[in-house]
Amino acid sequence: MSFSCERRDKPFRTSSRTSLSLTMWSVKSTVRAGRFACRQISVEAGNVVFGRSGKQFHPMWLRERCVGPASVQQETLQAFRQPHDFPADLGIVSAQVSPLSDSGVAPRTLTVGFTDGHVSVFDADALNNEADDFAACGIQQSDIKCPDVFMWDKSTGSDVPRLSYLDVASGQPEVLLKLTTHLLRYGHVIVEGVPSRDGEVAAFARVVSGYPSVRPTNWGPVFNVRSYPDAALKDLSYTAEKLSPHVDNPYRNPNPGFQFLHVLENECASGESLAVDGFMAAEQLRLESPAFFKTLCQTDVRWENDGGDRSTALIHFAPMLEVDKSTGKLTQIRYSPKSGGYCPALSMEEADTFFQARRRFAELLHAESNTVRFQMVKGDLWIFNNLRLLHGRGEFNPNEGFRHLQGSYVDADAVTSAFFRAKYALKASSDSDSDA
Ligand SMILES: [Fe+2]
């Protein structure tokens, strides 16, 4: 994103990832008082640098974005230095924006001289873009924007996105991009026609994620959901009982990110699956009662599991709702009464607020207006974000026939990295086509 840096007594070139080559000029003599714009970056008297939205750029914020050969390894753009290697009082002695080219389309740069003698040249657009959208613009990869989240309820989410197994198995980046975009935008997708083979779910998860292994649990790389226990390990899921909406494994740290659930056999007409968008329900709660939302974000409750055979304890202390500190957007839902979520001994007033909030959130999660129901058939493989979606099923009658689902997990970043891998592959292909 930024171009280059060297000490100012040396010529310099841009990073290997850019095609721009610049000739060094004296920055000291060109620093001017007053404001002048470069793609809306401005420099005030005293070399105070502002972005287009009016944010002042801290000297260290600028410096850690320098990708010159003295600052970062040129292939990876990974930093050489530690934070304490820089002067604690690092400042700016000069700051200059480049003039417009004759064509008016050349990249425009901000050149900054620092108090330790280092000079950096930055892409003004890249600085502004990152300052305005921290989550979308990176240093080591410039495009790190994920699809926008679309929250849904029964009226807007009843058509669960679907893809065919043969398309996904082809490994084409277009299909992988579509699949991962669905997962990141809507939180789930059903892949139809997946071969009903034991362990296929883990193999499929490895293909989608590009990771050589899935996230194992104490059940192993896959778990089986049927009306009788898996070996000696016990869980409410492994019965014919109805399962209210819940997330899996909130007692683990970190929680498994995406679940892959494959129907190997289903001869039962009963036992319809259900999905609830936890983000939507949490936003409804936030709108209704900011105080309720806040207490569910701030109270670390205790999630528990005994390993399925009482041989161990899986314990995690974490809130029911998590939000991104900078944006306030929801990042994770934890809700599973069978896994505890025990509240600490708060004051009477705090506990009262917490229990009222939890009760109301549970009502919203169970509201029919928030629930999407569908029947999964043999060969369906449902992939869903376990940090966002709650899943469940109706009670089923095992006398109707055999019902066997097999599941596996991958971490959340396995899906986001698959999304970027597909996106970058398509862009590289498009770039090479236009070069030809
Ligand atoms: Fe579950």
Side-chain angles (χ1 to χ4, degrees), residues 223 237 243 246-248 259 338 384 391 409:
F223 55 90
S237 302
L243 286 177
H246 65 283
V247 302
D248 277 7
Q259 181 170 165
K338 73 187 177 78
F384 55 88
H391 62 285
Y409 302 105

